[in-house]
Amino acid sequence: MAYQQGSFPIVEKKQLTEDVFSFLVRCPEVAAQSEAGQFVHIRVEGFSLRRPISICEVDRDAGTLRLVMQVRGKGTDALAAQKEGDFLDMLAPLGHGFRIPEEGRILVVGGGIGVPPLLQAAKESRGADAVLGFRSAGQVILAEDYAAVCGDVQIATDDGSLGRKGTVVPIVAEKLAAERYAAVLACGPTRMLEAVATAAREAGVPCQVSMEERMGCGIGACLVCACKTRKADGSEDFSHVCKDGPVFDAERVFFKEEGRN
Amino acid sequence: MADLSVKIAGVTMKNPMIAASGTVGFGQEYGALFPISTLGGISTKGTTLHRRPGNPPPRIAETPAGLLNSVGLQNPGADAFLAEELPRLKQEDLVVIANLAGSTLEEYVAVVEKVSDSDVDMIELNISCPNVKAGGAAFGVSAACAAEVTAAVRKVCKKPLIIKLSPNVSDIAEIARAVEAAGADAISLINTLLGMRIDIRTRRPILRNNVGGLSGPAVFPVAVRMVWQASRAVKIPVIGMGGISSAEDAVEMMLAGASAFQIGSALFADPTCPVKILEDLNRYLDEQGIASVTELTGMVNPY
Ligand SMILES: Cc1cc2nc3c(=O)[nH]c(=O)nc-3n(C[C@H](O)[C@H](O)[C@H](O)COP(=O)(O)O)c2cc1C
């Protein structure tokens, strides 16, 4: 448990789309401990709960983390209003990230704001291809960043305004049929994760998914961010996204937990 | 420096600050951020006789100045608590308060009997959880039921017994008197206030359980009022909680009648706040020339 709380300066801010912002935060001690797929928990002045934001990139030499966040409500709106030079109160790094295979290429599959958390994993892998899904061309983020570190990058948009029309799922099936990947890593809407996990299982490729759930403490004490999982002995239990996840083996996750949206 | 120690039902705590049940687990996770022995005591996650899975998610919703939760007493069960959590906690220099719950009178008695034989320092009986169907809250909302469960548990409880009261009642003084008469050594309050939030797009409640318990600064004035009313009704010590997030809040709670205070939801935004609250409390006492923190208890001068 190498997480810590501290205030760290924003050294660079970029607006990626209408409602998605990229922050580079200087936090050497945190960066030294951070792994692909982990998250940071950011305090928002005037709000009772911190906001969990996935780590997009780690630069341990420069001592920085890159965080890409979407404005989803008043809290994230306040966060997005932070400027270069402002400080973020972060509790980080938190959770269990992706396990990157020692050998073999991986396929990373992201949907919407589920795209950023996979970038560091793609960078650290022995080679990666990416399938990225968005609502439309205006929402596309990080396509160039993925192109720089991946062999092949495929884009799907719901309305067909960029790349293939439709979801990422048919592209994932094609990629899995064409190449033997060591792992599939996925992050995005639950329905997408379930479909990707099914495709990976059918292809016999291990799949890891990054789950999301409304969160409290962020460190595993308050037990609110429950995710129904199957334990090694086959029994069912509520795991916790903040501490046991956010990344789980897809085979362990019950995606159809009633009430999920 | 003022004397911060307090004595509750015969148990001395080095300071009056306790981490509230359900917000700190068994102390391990926050122990990575500050020495857990900063606290005078810890009230551990609500534990039942057998393990409970808790409610399906979502279990939390933010509210203006607070939050709703519907965890539903997810816990590993009393045996796992005693075997895996208690030994580690007992190595720390703080008072360990086992927060226990049940669905039936028999279950309450059985879990207290089991945990009472361990080396926990105190037992806090949660008769006020709003988040499980037969969740004990039913016991907390009528004076007769609260007295019945207190008396039954008292017979088997070898440790100082704190009864944790529900705020979802019309006359808190009556309930406080009833549990005192039934043998409680102390009372603690408030547990969460029943609340609800709705997503206006999906027209679905945000919580999968539909309703949940409200905590955080939003409930603070309600908590102060209830601690004031309850403490005037009984002679046993009162532990105050609900929305405390600063030393000023803690002092206010003690002036209302609390002998000690608990901090819960404030940890989520500011996980190391206990360290600051203790420093600020010390400074306040020194500035006011108060020799012992116990001098604050119940010293509000009401109209
Ligand atoms: C996530 C969460 C879980 C809780 N679980 C328990 C519990 O297991 N047992 C209990 O007696 N109280 C439980 N509570 C209530 C707190 O102990 C406390 O009474 C309440 O939150 C008010 O204090 P606060 O405003 O400082 O949080 C829980 C509260 C929260 C926020």
Side-chain angles (χ1 to χ4, degrees):
Chain A
M1 289 194 290
Y3 50 84
Q4 57 175 281
Q5 183 204 357
S7 266
F8 304 100
I10 298 167
V11 292
E12 187 190 291
K13 176 185 180 182
K14 281 187 191 151
Q15 184 159 8
L16 303 187
T17 69
E18 197 189 334
D19 62 351
V20 177
F21 296 82
S22 169
F23 290 94
L24 203 61
V25 182
R26 216 187 121 64
C27 50
E29 310 89 338
V30 174
Q33 303 282 340
S34 296
E35 289 169 15
Q38 288 188 298
F39 70 96
V40 305
H41 216 21
I42 309 181
R43 185 174 186 177
V44 196
E45 209 44 60
F47 290 81
S48 308
L49 297 175
R50 288 174 176 254
R51 299 298 189 266
I53 307 287
S54 289
I55 294 172
C56 173
E57 283 185 273
V58 186
D59 188 335
R60 296 182 188 93
D61 297 329
T64 56
L65 290 185
R66 184 180 186 192
L67 310 171
V68 174
M69 66 178 85
Q70 181 175 39
V71 175
R72 290 194 186 175
K74 292 191 188 116
T76 39
D77 197 29
L79 274 186
Q82 303 289 305
K83 304 178 297 294
E84 280 171 23
D86 288 348
F87 282 73
L88 292 181
D89 176 343
M90 303 197 309
L91 185 56
L94 300 177
H96 285 90
F98 292 107
R99 277 163 293 108
I100 299 162
E102 308 254 317
E103 281 169 44
R105 294 177 68 76
I106 63 168
L107 182 66
V108 300
V109 185
I113 199 62
V115 165
L118 298 157
L119 185 57
Q120 182 67 19
K123 271 169 76 177
E124 290 180 9
S125 69
R126 308 287 161 271
D129 294 326
V131 185
L132 312 176
F134 303 93
R135 268 187 293 140
S136 74
Q139 267 89 48
V140 173
I141 51 171
L142 305 177
E144 283 159 23
D145 300 78
Y146 277 93
V149 298
C150 290
D152 179 45
V153 179
Q154 299 279 331
I155 290 184
T157 50
D158 291 344
D159 62 2
S161 52
L162 192 80
R164 188 124 40 119
K165 182 173 162 68
T167 75
V168 295
V169 182
I171 309 180
V172 170
E174 286 166 25
K175 300 290 292 177
L176 288 170
E179 183 164 350
R180 181 84 211 151
Y181 289 101
V184 174
L185 314 186
C187 185
T190 307
R191 244 169 298 148
M192 181 204 97
L193 294 180
E194 183 174 23
V196 171
T198 304
R201 184 180 341 104
E202 283 164 1
V205 179
C207 179
Q208 300 167 38
V209 290
S210 179
M211 301 298 290
E212 202 183 30
E213 189 50 72
R214 285 173 185 266
M215 202 175 272
C217 68
I219 54 178
C222 80
L223 310 183
V224 303
C225 53
C227 171
K228 193 179 254 187
T229 53
R230 206 176 279 106
K231 288 198 287 193
D233 65 5
S235 64
E236 293 175 16
D237 202 4
F238 282 118
S239 293
H240 296 96
V241 169
C242 73
K243 189 179 187 182
D244 307 312
V247 177
F248 293 94
D249 282 329
E251 291 303 297
R252 289 187 54 210
V253 175
F254 286 84
F255 292 102
K256 285 223 167 58
E257 178 53 43
E258 208 195 328
R260 238 185 228 305
N261 29 36
Chain B
M1 216 165 86
D3 179 4
L4 286 178
S5 69
V6 295
K7 202 168 178 183
I8 310 278
V11 177
T12 301
M13 297 197 296
K14 62 181 182 295
N15 68 55
M17 182 172 62
I18 303 165
S21 177
T23 60
V24 282
F26 302 99
Q28 201 165 14
E29 293 81 11
Y30 282 97
L33 292 169
F34 66 90
I36 207 74
S37 59
T38 307
L39 301 162
I42 182 171
S43 176
T44 51
K45 173 64 197 171
T47 300
T48 47
L49 188 57
H50 304 292
R51 93 174 250 292
R52 285 201 189 178
N55 291 326
R59 294 178 175 182
I60 192 165
E62 198 171 41
T63 69
L67 55 105
L68 290 171
N69 91 83
S70 59
V71 172
L73 290 182
Q74 176 170 18
N75 79 91
D79 286 327
F81 164 67
L82 295 175
E84 285 151 37
E85 307 292 350
L86 186 59
R88 186 179 37 75
L89 259 182
K90 281 302 291 182
Q91 290 171 8
E92 303 281 351
D93 172 29
L94 83 177
V95 169
V96 178
I97 305 172
N99 181 286
L100 304 177
S103 305
T104 62
L105 199 62
E106 294 70 33
E107 202 189 333
Y108 269 107
V109 171
V111 71
V112 170
E113 199 162 16
K114 176 169 272 188
V115 175
S116 181
D117 277 329
S118 73
D119 54 3
V120 303
D121 298 300
M122 308 178 92
I123 285 173
E124 179 176 59
L125 200 69
N126 176 6
I127 59 166
S128 44
C129 181
N131 286 326
V132 275
K133 291 217 165 60
F139 288 99
V141 293
S142 98
C145 291
E148 187 187 5
V149 66
T150 304
V153 161
R154 175 76 281 173
K155 287 199 196 91
V156 298
C157 184
K158 304 183 186 102
K159 306 284 182 188
L161 177 63
I162 306 162
I163 305 290
K164 183 165 177 179
L165 304 184
S166 168
N168 303 305
V169 299
S170 48
D171 186 351
I172 195 72
E174 182 198 4
I175 303 211
R177 273 192 295 268
V179 301
E180 177 181 46
D185 298 307
I187 54 175
S188 61
L189 70 164
I190 58 174
N191 207 317
T192 52
L193 280 149
L194 205 53
M196 182 176 191
R197 301 227 50 190
I198 299 166
D199 183 321
I200 61 166
R201 284 182 187 83
T202 63
R203 302 188 176 190
R204 294 283 241 168
I206 298 199
L207 297 174
R208 180 64 181 76
N209 192 49
N210 296 322
V211 297
L214 181 64
S215 60
V219 310
F220 181 67
V222 178
V224 171
R225 183 267 295 178
M226 289 195 143
V227 164
W228 183 61
Q229 291 176 327
S231 65
R232 285 164 29 125
V234 296
K235 293 196 181 61
I236 52 178
V238 175
I239 301 172
M241 78 191 94
I244 295 175
S245 62
S246 67
E248 288 80 2
D249 294 344
V251 169
E252 194 172 330
M253 193 62 94
M254 292 189 74
L255 291 172
S259 297
F261 59 90
Q262 298 192 8
I263 300 171
S265 306
L267 289 163
F268 299 165
D270 189 3
T272 57
C273 69
V275 176
K276 183 160 192 303
I277 290 176
L278 203 60
E279 279 170 18
D280 292 349
L281 180 60
N282 254 314
R283 191 172 323 117
Y284 168 85
L285 294 172
D286 287 348
E287 279 168 12
Q288 299 279 318
I290 298 170
S292 162
V293 71
T294 59
E295 291 169 35
L296 294 172
T297 300
M299 292 313 282
V300 60
N301 181 14
Y303 296 106

